[in-house]
Amino acid sequence: KILENVQRVPMSISVLSDRRLEGMNAVRVQDIIQGVPNVAMELFTPRQSSLAIRGIGKNPANDGLEASVGVFLDGVFLGRPGMLSTDLVDLERVEVLRGPQGTLFGKNVTAGALNISTRGPDDVAQGYAQATLGNADLVEVKAAVSGPIGKSGVGYRLTGFSAERDGFTDAVLTGKDLGELDRHGVRPQLQWRPSAGARWRAIIDHSAEDEDGPAI
């Protein structure tokens, strides 16, 4: 992993730090891009969403086609729109790179790339928990715990989130609340540093979403 000063990199890049993301209360991709110029998103359903950079890539989703804007989560390419339809918690930074990025990322993303990095294990034991309450019985919970495993050089981090909310309108035919929110996820990870210049990181990311659609 090579870190560079973004002001010296010869390309158009926007970077959102963890503090900026927390101040924006950015939870989903559509929240994140509110703080980035030249980026737009259309979100109808998890399978019908698309990102555009500089007006390129704003096309209806198709399960058989890859988007013009590549989305990478911790270095892993997310090739389908629905793979990012979840809450993004415990973020370290978000980078938006404009223009073709096939050489840097190894994918032919012609419009640009959205590179999302989550926090890794810490050298000392620590954690946090955050809860949010709102109207329509909204309950959001985010938590993470991290630290080293003895003196083995292996660190761990466990992140989880839950978001639930009642709907705003009753559906006459189904009897369910339209606009109901029900999302849950967990992300355990391990990190091993065999030497000062090497790092191995294993992440398991699981999330589930069960919603009845918006009240339109």
Side-chain angles (χ1 to χ4, degrees):
K1 186 176 182 179
I2 301 176
L3 299 178
E4 292 185 77
N5 188 329
V6 69
Q7 295 181 347
R8 298 180 180 178
V9 178
M11 66 173 63
S12 178
I13 304 177
S14 295
V15 181
L16 301 178
S17 64
D18 53 350
R19 292 186 179 181
R20 175 75 183 280
L21 293 167
E22 290 175 1
M24 295 169 53
N25 193 27
V27 177
R28 314 199 83 185
V29 175
Q30 53 267 39
D31 303 327
I32 294 173
I33 64 174
Q34 296 298 321
V36 183
N38 309 120
V39 182
M41 182 176 187
E42 286 187 354
L43 177 62
F44 302 103
T45 68
R47 295 180 62 184
Q48 289 183 317
S49 60
S50 61
L51 280 167
I53 294 180
R54 291 173 173 170
I56 301 175
K58 201 172 183 179
N59 303 312
N62 186 314
D63 289 339
L65 298 176
E66 293 184 355
S68 300
V69 179
V71 180
F72 298 82
L73 179 61
D74 290 319
V76 178
F77 176 65
L78 306 183
R80 297 293 178 263
M83 297 178 70
L84 201 58
S85 178
T86 183
D87 288 7
L88 298 171
V89 298
D90 213 17
L91 296 180
E92 183 179 62
R93 69 182 180 278
V94 174
E95 304 167 349
V96 178
L97 298 87
R98 300 173 180 84
Q101 304 297 326
T103 302
L104 181 62
F105 286 93
K107 290 293 295 183
N108 188 25
V109 286
T110 55
L114 180 65
N115 188 32
I116 303 171
S117 300
T118 62
R119 292 172 178 160
D122 297 297
D123 296 330
V124 296
Q126 57 181 301
Y128 72 89
Q130 178 182 346
T132 303
L133 303 178
N135 64 335
D137 294 329
L138 172 67
V139 179
E140 292 182 346
V141 178
K142 308 172 189 176
V145 61
S146 178
I149 302 178
K151 298 182 179 180
S152 60
V154 178
Y156 73 91
R157 190 175 191 91
L158 178 62
T159 305
F161 72 89
S162 174
E164 297 181 355
R165 184 191 63 197
D166 294 338
F168 298 101
T169 304
D170 294 332
V172 178
L173 297 179
T174 63
K176 296 183 178 181
D177 293 335
L178 295 179
E180 184 179 5
L181 185 66
D182 187 4
R183 297 195 294 261
H184 308 273
V186 63
R187 182 171 61 245
Q189 58 177 299
L190 293 174
Q191 180 175 272
W192 177 45
R193 295 181 180 271
S195 62
R199 182 183 70 165
W200 296 87
R201 189 178 176 193
I203 304 174
I204 299 176
D205 200 329
H206 172 75
S207 62
E209 181 175 356
D210 184 10
E211 300 180 14
D212 292 319
I216 300 178

